[in-house]
Amino acid sequence: MQKTRLDTARIRAARQVIDPVFLDTPLYRCEALEPVLGCAVSIKLETANPVRSFKGRGTEVVASLLAGQGGSAVVCASAGNLGQALAWSGRGRGLDVTVVASRFATAAKLERVRALGARLELVDGDHEAARERAAAIARYDGIRLVEDSLDIETCEGAATIGLELVDAAPSFDAVLIALGGGALATGVGHVVKARAPHAEVICVQPLGAPAMTHSWRRRRVVTTDSADTIADGVAGRYPIPAVLDDLLLVADDAVLVRESSIVAGMRILLDHAGLVVEPSAALGVAAVLEDRDRFAGRHVVTIVCGGNVDPDAYRRWVTATPVRESHESHGFRESHGFRECHGFRES
């Protein structure tokens, strides 16, 4: 395999600085899901920690290195999960943390960022506007900017999930990974391709936020004019070239799923696995629902990457009447309040 930016020795070293509360997360065969999905399913559960997502693995590495270098302040842009994780990791190391987010981000995530002691700045617009503002703060104040997926620490922190996965479940046929900025996919993918090359690395993204998937398919950066999906944790519009280069080396496939399938995946994980998950964490199940024949009779692992949800929105999603859509449909029912992401550009 060609070399990615990641290094296996550094990934192993990352385990030594990550708080154990984020490590060795549950991995188990969930037999209750198998009659529903038509394949053997194992869950790697990344929600049972203080920030309820996998992001703490990467921010622990970032904060440890920054504190060791004498740094005192850090800023990031976040849809909510990275901000919580950086706030938690920074608080434990005496760092002043600023999180920039869209004012339209999930309220529960933003409240938790504040509760963890970070300074929260809200901007109009989407996550890309928050990224621009965070970069401006870093330049003006002369502090460390944490850029999820671009900063190798975030990828190698996430890659520790891959180490745990291949050590505990060497016989799986495919791993389904939520695809947003790419830290989780490139991190886990790097380890799986090095240690379990027989297994497929399949990345999953919403139809309403397809930039990285289009980029992977075309092997060049493709940006989109907008993103419209309930899976806010993966709703980026501007793929990072270096991250795409890594993804091209480790991903066997990248697929897009409909909003209705994401909601169905959340409902299935609640009803059959007892798990409350955010939309991004249901992408793997959504992929199986949309292509049952592909996975029939196989053993797949899905990484349940986050559980931070707005309670009211979650109740609406999991109690709503399922909407049937054709596999050819690239749009969303008006009753859901979603639109397809129109237009994309290559760069």
Side-chain angles (χ1 to χ4, degrees):
M1 186 181 79
Q2 292 177 264
K3 289 187 177 181
T4 68
R5 295 178 302 145
L6 289 79
D7 178 80
T8 300
R10 289 199 307 262
I11 295 167
R12 293 191 179 281
R15 283 184 55 89
Q16 305 307 310
V17 301
I18 297 173
D19 191 297
V21 75
F22 295 108
L23 297 174
D24 300 313
T25 52
L27 172 66
Y28 58 96
R29 180 88 170 262
C30 188
E31 295 184 17
L33 288 175
E34 296 175 8
V36 183
L37 298 180
C39 59
V41 182
S42 289
I43 286 172
K44 182 64 169 164
L45 186 63
E46 294 295 314
T47 64
N49 61 57
V51 299
R52 293 190 288 191
S53 83
F54 79 95
K55 297 286 189 181
R57 293 179 183 251
T59 59
E60 281 290 279
V61 181
V62 170
S64 176
L65 290 174
L66 184 58
Q69 295 164 356
S72 61
V74 62
V75 60
C76 75
S78 174
N81 285 351
L82 178 71
Q84 291 181 65
L86 188 60
W88 193 92
S89 297
R91 185 181 65 178
R93 293 170 175 83
L95 301 177
D96 180 23
V97 177
T98 298
V99 176
V100 184
S102 167
R103 66 179 66 258
F104 306 109
T106 301
K109 294 182 179 182
L110 300 181
E111 290 169 5
R112 187 60 182 156
V113 169
R114 291 190 183 98
L116 288 167
R119 173 177 173 265
L120 179 64
E121 179 174 326
L122 301 179
V123 299
D124 292 320
D126 63 7
H127 182 66
E128 302 307 332
R131 284 174 61 179
E132 292 176 4
R133 176 56 183 159
I137 291 173
R139 289 193 300 269
Y140 184 81
D141 293 342
I143 62 176
R144 168 69 187 271
L145 171 66
V146 175
E147 294 190 82
D148 197 20
S149 304
L150 177 60
D151 287 0
I152 199 64
E153 299 94 336
T154 62
C155 302
E156 292 180 341
T160 60
I161 297 171
L163 287 179
E164 295 168 15
L165 179 58
V166 297
D167 286 344
S171 64
F172 60 94
D173 299 306
V175 56
L176 300 167
I177 310 173
L179 178 61
L184 183 62
T186 59
V188 174
H190 172 90
V191 175
V192 170
K193 283 304 161 191
R195 296 277 306 280
H198 63 279
E200 276 193 293
V201 174
I202 303 173
C203 304
V204 190
Q205 199 165 38
L207 266 169
M212 187 63 99
T213 296
H214 285 317
S215 299
W216 182 86
R217 290 175 178 176
R218 293 174 179 242
R219 304 188 70 84
R220 63 177 63 89
V221 170
V222 177
T223 64
T224 59
D225 295 325
S226 62
D228 199 348
T229 175
I230 60 172
D232 61 324
V234 294
R237 297 189 288 115
Y238 295 97
I240 298 168
V243 182
L244 175 60
D245 288 343
D246 289 341
L247 191 69
L248 289 170
L249 295 175
V250 302
D252 295 297
D253 200 1
V255 302
L256 298 171
V257 296
R258 300 183 301 273
E259 299 293 294
S260 59
S261 298
I262 299 172
V263 172
M266 296 170 68
R267 187 181 299 117
I268 287 169
L269 286 166
L270 176 64
D271 292 344
H272 298 277
L275 297 175
V276 174
V277 306
E278 61 187 81
S280 300
L283 287 170
V285 173
V288 178
L289 290 173
E290 292 203 4
D291 198 354
R292 294 174 185 271
D293 290 345
R294 176 177 185 173
F295 299 103
R298 304 177 73 194
H299 179 195
V300 303
V301 176
T302 183
I303 299 174
V304 176
C305 55
N308 289 297
V309 292
D310 176 83
D312 292 336
Y314 182 80
R315 281 190 287 269
R316 289 196 302 272
W317 293 329
V318 299
T319 59
T321 301
V323 176
R324 296 184 62 84
E325 298 178 15
S326 72
H327 283 275
E328 290 74 26
S329 173
H330 285 192
F332 309 124
R333 286 286 296 274
E334 183 65 30
S335 60
H336 280 173
F338 306 126
R339 298 178 301 280
E340 184 183 359
C341 178
H342 294 287
F344 52 88
R345 299 188 299 273
E346 299 181 17
S347 61

